[in-house]
Every structure is written in C-alpha cells, then in structure tokens.
DNA sequence: CGGCATGTTGATTCATCTCAAAGTCTGTGG
DNA sequence: CCACAGACTTTGAGATGAATCAACATGCCG
C-alpha cells in the first residue's frame, strides 16, 4: 500500500479521529488491490469479510431479486462501502462491481470490529458515518416514493449541478442506463423523460447536460435538503451519487 | 417514569449493555409522556432534540414533499426512532405521529451524544443499532425497486405471517391506507391488487387475512432474507413494520 | 341514529414497461 | 486508418400497470 493512499485514507471522516495505533492496526491487516472494469467485488448474500475503501476508480452497488436488478449507489474515491454488513457480521445486502479499473483498500471486518471496541474515537466516527449512510438511504427512499420519474430525473440533474458548484453545464459522470436503474426506471423511460424536460429548462445531448433555465427547473422540482441532501456548495467534487453507502 | 418502564427500556438492545451509571444518566434527563392518538410528535426538518422510545401504543413515521405524503415505517413497543438525527444533530428526515394513544420516553439528544462518548459499550450498541436501521431501509428500498405493487403486497402479508410464527390466519395490525402508503401505492390500488391475490392463495376480508395456500404464495414472491429481513421465528410478536428505524 | 373516515368498485386517464428496430458511440483488429 | 462488433442510446408502437376521479359501501364513534 502506497504512503499516499495511507495519508488519504487517514483523512477520511471515518478514520481521521482515531488513535494512531488503531489506524496502524487497521492498515496493517488491510491490503490494496487493483481490479479491472466490470469486476464483481462482492455478491449479495455472501458473508461480510472486508470493509471496502475506493481509492481510485468507481464502484457500483446493486441488488437483484428474481432476475431483476437495480443500482443502489455509485461509490467514488475516497468513499467506503458495506460498513454496516461488516459491523453486524451479516450477509451483504448488495453486490458490488467496478465500473472501471479501480483500486480498493480492503480492511478485514474482524479488525474493524475489534478496533472500535478499543478506540472510542473510532467508535464515534463509525456512529457518525453510519448515521450518515442511514440518512442517505432514507432520502433515496423518500425520493422514490414521493416523486415521479420525471421529477426524480430533474432532481438528479439539479443535484449533479449543485455538487459541481451550481454550474449550468456539465457532463454526466455515469452511463444513462445506470442512472435509470438508480432512479428506478427503465433506460427507455429515462431517455423519453429527459426529452420532455426541455419544457422546464433542461437540455441533454449525449452526456452533456445544459440547464437553460435554472429557476424554471428549480420551480419544477423544489430542491429539498431532506431528500436531495444538504447543499455541499460544490466542495465534494467528483461525487456522482450518495457518498457514504454501506450494507 | 415508572420502574416497570425503566426495566423494559434497560432491556432494549440499545441500552442493555451500557454501564449502569450511563443508563442512569440517560434516564435522569429523560421523561415519559402520554400522547393522544393522531398527535404530531416531530416534524420533518425540525432540529433533533430527543431520541424517542415507544413504550406503549404505536407511532407512524412519514415524510412529505410538495403536498404528497408517504408512510416510511411504524414503530411499536419497545422500539426507538430518530436515533440517526440525534447523533448527527441534524434535522429530522421524517415526521412522526401517534397512531393511537401512546406513551413515549424522550431522551435528550445531547445526553445521548455525551454518553456514548464516555461509555464504549453504549457506543458499540449504538453502532449495532444504527447498522440494523440502515439495513432495514436498504431492504425497504430494494423492495420498492425490485418488486411491483402486487409482489410487495404479497411479500408484506407473508412477512406479517412469518412474524407471527408462520400462522395462516391473522389480523392486519394497521389500516390499509397506511399499508398502501408504506408499500408505495394508492389505497385503491392496494384494494384491487389484494383482490387479485386470491389467485396465489391469499384471502383478505376486512382486516382478516387468510393464507389459503402458503406454498403458492411463497412461489409467487420467493421470500428473500436480503429484502424481507431475517426470519424472526415469530419471536418479535407485535411488530408490524421494520422495527429499528431512526432518522 | 347520524356523521365521518375508511374501504371498495368502476370508468377513465396517465405513466411506465415491454418489445422491436434503428441509430450512436467506442474500442479492437485488420 | 478504416471496418466492424458490441454495448449503449434513442425512437416507435403497443400493452400493462397504476393513479385519478367519482360513487357507493362499510364500519366506528359520539
């Protein structure tokens, strides 16, 4: 594991406040590995062995049931996933695969559980992280239940814009089919719905999104911090979907 | 606060492992109160002041946006809610109201945060509780995205049955309109869909549910522990909807 | 016995999915 | 450098699912 990685991981909210010895213990048992694109990292139902930290690349969390499949989240650097499963020592609720060539840090779940029992600061960080993850999923569920597909798309685009500092022109960071699945609709439906969004001031050409009339778009889907998340002010560049998402 | 209540709260997974002094500190700052049916306990967006523990009665957690409303969960004794908001000292993501006359214990959020910083055991319990809450919402989101309304209803009925020990005949513990909202559909749609479920071995008359053909129902919606939750074996009697649900 | 909220049913509209086909993009190999 | 395969995207037509609106039935409580 490269020193640079160690430093970055150490700065994560989850790890930044813990004791030096605790962190070193975690790092010692952990190992970094690079995976090719499309690699299945974990499969839902498997026992939780490792906390995963995305150092480079991006990872899709998805779920399936009876031949159906849906995207639950995308994790970008530097983000973690499946914290909850590790803590509960329970089977993963979601599967994960790399969207591109990615480098991950794998921290043994047993180390994790051992450390937060000894290091109160790490326990507090874990609590905060989990609470954040929980709230992210609640917001996602609210979005699914309270908005129709057109509104979900509009809100998604608005959020992407806000994450980039409120700019009116940007590029979608993931494939549309994945966005469709994340937002709970078919690719065809997404495509059609996007087309109708020009009525509310949005133009999409390929991956290029242009918000023609920000006011009209915001009038169409009033952004709600209790659904769309707090305004980040563009500080968290590169985050395309909810950050902290465990299992 | 009655001694009997204190004992029950002390036996909750969240509180059972903490130090005696920690528990006493929490209880000292807390107070129990009885509310009439239909009382709004908290409103989404308000700052998180108290962790709520349901001692008697039942509480609905719901969310709204732009004149729309949906039920997120029902909490029964002895369950807690809005733990996450208290921890993050963030605004509630959901509102809560009593479904019937209910008695609650209110624990100041500041006490909570102070105590788990000093009592590692309580911190671990909090972590476990939160991880469980998180997983419950992920399962709910998976259900919404992977199943259509008819399947969600069937799975819901199956789960109710399982929670009661797998019996074939039981009474719905909440109003149908609430179930509809929880499952993400309109009451009309629920009513109609229930009617069509006789094809897969379910009969519903008013609040009375009779599973005529358990095998056929299970073939229609194969129960999945990664969506419907682990099999409780009927140990948690009286739980109608996911138990641990914070905000 | 009302009155009111809940539940059901019907007709209709609207939203969304499915299936099919054609268009677009991208990376690969010749 | 070009041709091509394969995946993604768009478009269209049609079927299905679900919401809406309205009316009626049911149940409960004062």
């Amino acid at each position: 594991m490269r020193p640079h990685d160690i430093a970055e991981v150490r700065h994560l909210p989850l790890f930044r406040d813990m004791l030096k010895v605790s962190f070193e213990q975690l790092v010692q048992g952990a190992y970094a590995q690079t995976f090719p694109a499309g690699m299945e990292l974990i499969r839902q139902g498997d026992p939780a062995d490792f906390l995963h930290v995305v150092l480079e690349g991006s990872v899709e969390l998805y779920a399936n049931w009876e031949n159906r499949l849906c995207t639950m989240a995308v994790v970008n650097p530097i983000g973690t996933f499946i914290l909850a499963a590790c803590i509960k020592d329970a089977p993963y609720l979601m599967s994960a695969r790399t969207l591109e060539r990615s480098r991950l840090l794998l921290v043994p779940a047993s180390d994790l559980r051992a450390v937060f029992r000894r290091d109160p600061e790490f326990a507090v960080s874990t609590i905060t992280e989990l609470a954040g993850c929980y709230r992210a999923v609640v917001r996602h569920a609210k979005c699914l239940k309270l908005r129709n597909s057109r509104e979900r798309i509009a809100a998604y685009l608005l959020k992407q814009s806000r994450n980039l500092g409120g700019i009116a022109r940007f590029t979608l960071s993931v494939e549309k089919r994945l966005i469709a699945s994340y937002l709970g609709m078919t690719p065809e439906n997404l495509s059609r719905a996007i087309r109708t969004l020009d009525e509310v001031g949005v133009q999409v050409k390929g991956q290029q999104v242009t918000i023609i009339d920000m006011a009209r778009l915001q009038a169409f889907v009033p952004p709600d911090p209790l659904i769309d998340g707090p305004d980040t002010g563009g500080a968290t560049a590169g985050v395309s979907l909810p950050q902290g998402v465990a299992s």
Side-chain angles (χ1 to χ4, degrees), chain A residues 122-171:
Chain A
F122 182 54
V124 170
S125 299
T126 303
I127 288 172
T128 306
E129 178 91 356
L130 272 176
C133 290
Y134 171 80
R135 288 169 62 91
V137 191
V138 168
R139 282 192 290 260
H140 186 51
K142 283 177 64 173
C143 186
L144 289 170
K145 291 173 91 164
L146 291 170
R147 290 169 172 165
N148 63 29
S149 58
R150 203 156 161 251
E151 291 163 340
R152 293 201 296 278
I153 298 167
Y156 177 81
L157 296 177
L158 215 38
K159 186 179 169 72
Q160 296 306 105
S161 163
R162 280 199 325 165
N163 281 349
L164 297 169
I167 59 178
R169 211 182 153 79
F170 60 94
T171 304

Side-chain angles (χ1 to χ4, degrees), chain A residues 64-117:
Chain A
N64 50 278
W65 180 76
E66 289 289 301
N67 216 17
R68 274 165 255 179
L69 188 147
C70 74
T71 301
M72 298 298 287
V74 171
V75 186
N76 289 292
I78 307 281
T80 68
F81 60 94
I82 54 162
L83 176 58
C86 292
I87 285 169
K88 297 220 63 153
D89 198 10
Y92 297 130
L93 293 182
M94 303 184 269
S95 304
R97 65 185 160 207
T98 54
L99 288 174
E100 58 193 308
R101 183 180 165 84
S102 303
R103 210 152 56 81
L104 305 192
L105 179 69
L106 306 184
V107 183
S110 52
D111 291 359
L112 209 69
R113 289 192 292 269
V115 167
F116 74 56
R117 283 178 178 279

Side-chain angles (χ1 to χ4, degrees), chain A residues 14-237:
Chain A
L14 184 56
F15 299 114
R16 75 160 71 112
D17 294 325
M18 67 196 308
L19 293 174
K20 193 161 179 291
V21 289
S22 304
F23 182 71
E24 278 161 1
Q25 184 187 346
L26 281 188
V27 166
Q28 196 211 348
Y31 59 97
Q33 195 173 345
T34 300
F35 299 92
M39 182 86 189
E40 184 179 70
L41 300 170
I42 63 179
R43 186 177 306 194
Q44 69 174 43
D46 284 354
D49 291 333
F50 297 96
L51 172 70
H52 290 56
V53 183
V54 181
L55 299 173
E56 292 169 17
S58 54
V59 173
E60 175 193 9
L61 303 185
Y62 61 101
N64 50 278
W65 180 76
E66 289 289 301
N67 216 17
R68 274 165 255 179
L69 188 147
C70 74
T71 301
M72 298 298 287
V74 171
V75 186
N76 289 292
I78 307 281
T80 68
F81 60 94
I82 54 162
L83 176 58
C86 292
I87 285 169
K88 297 220 63 153
D89 198 10
Y92 297 130
L93 293 182
M94 303 184 269
S95 304
R97 65 185 160 207
T98 54
L99 288 174
E100 58 193 308
R101 183 180 165 84
S102 303
R103 210 152 56 81
L104 305 192
L105 179 69
L106 306 184
V107 183
S110 52
D111 291 359
L112 209 69
R113 289 192 292 269
V115 167
F116 74 56
R117 283 178 178 279
R118 274 208 317 276
D119 186 338
E121 274 309 316
F122 182 54
V124 170
S125 299
T126 303
I127 288 172
T128 306
E129 178 91 356
L130 272 176
C133 290
Y134 171 80
R135 288 169 62 91
V137 191
V138 168
R139 282 192 290 260
H140 186 51
K142 283 177 64 173
C143 186
L144 289 170
K145 291 173 91 164
L146 291 170
R147 290 169 172 165
N148 63 29
S149 58
R150 203 156 161 251
E151 291 163 340
R152 293 201 296 278
I153 298 167
Y156 177 81
L157 296 177
L158 215 38
K159 186 179 169 72
Q160 296 306 105
S161 163
R162 280 199 325 165
N163 281 349
L164 297 169
I167 59 178
R169 211 182 153 79
F170 60 94
T171 304
L172 293 174
S173 56
V174 293
E175 288 175 345
K176 283 187 182 154
R177 58 197 303 278
L178 194 151
I179 297 175
S181 181
Y182 173 67
L183 295 178
M185 66 192 79
T186 60
E188 296 98 319
N189 191 22
L190 175 73
S191 183
R192 272 187 263 270
I194 279 181
R195 203 132 296 286
T196 72
L197 283 183
D198 59 354
E199 295 170 11
V200 291
V202 181
Q203 210 175 68
V204 181
K205 263 204 171 62
Q207 303 276 96
Q208 272 297 319
V209 178
T210 311
I211 298 178
I212 312 277
D213 188 339
M214 185 70 82
R216 195 129 61 99
L217 183 55
Q218 292 194 349
F220 175 60
V221 266
D224 183 340
L226 305 180
I227 298 181
D228 305 302
D231 200 331
T232 57
T236 60

